Amino acid sequence: VLFHPPALKCLFSDTKLKDPFSLAQKDLQNLYEDIKKQLLVSKAELKALCDYYFDGKGKAFRPMIVILMARACNVHSNKEGVLLPAQRSIAMISEMIHTASLVHDDVIDDSDTRRGKNTINQVWGERKAILAGDFILSAASMALARIGNTTVVSVLSQVIEDLVRGEFMQLGSKENENERFKHYLEKTFKKTASLIANSCKAVSILVNSDPEVHEIAYQYGRNVGIAFQLVDDILDFTSSAKRLGKPSAADLKLGLATGPVLFACQQFPELHAMIMRRFSSDGDVDRAWQYVLKSDGVEQTNYLAQHYCQEAIHQISRLRPSTERDALIQLTELVLRRDK
């Protein structure tokens, strides 16, 4: 399938627009301290393990979206945009679930660096890393239960199921090319976008009983989440290891065929056999890398990410105008432009 770049709406030219990160800054101020308070544990080593990634060095991209969505939905629902404590809790829980999934992913992928430092599995070993991920998840589940809204519990529990299913999907590959792309996008939704979509939906549920508003919040999160991951998959080919804080071509080395490779395979069918053997033969990774760079795989994946951002803008534009709603529109541009 060839995608052509949609004309991105000119919504980013207004200089008065506040940067999404600075707009959410106040609400996110003590986010990592508050997460650490959830991880109350007497054993010093487990505490060190769990606190390791909550050092304030992460982008806090997910909590930021959740906070902005909460305030946008509050304005839309005549609630003056005041953030509810339960909505802030959801932002915190989203970062905890995300981080637990990173800890487990690093074990599965045998990664040695994350966010520019050694991974938990590298420092403490695999067994303790798995337990740390489990512990962070259990703390997130308890924080979720304390919110006391059964619909919200069920919406966010879906995220944990999707993360596991997505990881399983990543372990398999499809023979048929069309099925392969569908499989890749579904895996991308489950592993990355479900968390953003369902966290956005959860904060909307807390202030509004209209299913249409829940759907707007969900669809914005879903589309931005898929675009975010598509750009991540592009950066694996275009960004240097130093910028990313993790080695590049990492996906190929793990045997994963992401968007750029799948698009490149349409121009260079030689990639098909390599994809099926998960780039396991000598020289596969380098050859696949060369094919991707010779093809327009990166460009096509970029068009696809633009398409998802357009859809996210279309959805969020249905909410009543607010500073936060406009920041969520602007965020789609930042997602497309990021370089790490």
Side-chain angles (χ1 to χ4, degrees), residues 325-338:
R325 185 202 75 162
D326 293 345
L328 287 169
I329 289 171
Q330 193 196 0
L331 186 69
T332 61
E333 177 78 347
L334 297 180
V335 163
L336 292 172
R337 279 210 307 245
R338 74 190 182 97

Side-chain angles (χ1 to χ4, degrees), residues 183-200:
H183 184 265
Y184 163 66
L185 287 174
E186 196 182 328
K187 177 219 71 175
T188 298
F189 167 73
K190 284 182 162 50
K191 275 202 68 177
T192 306
S194 171
L195 173 63
I196 302 173
N198 284 298
S199 303
C200 284

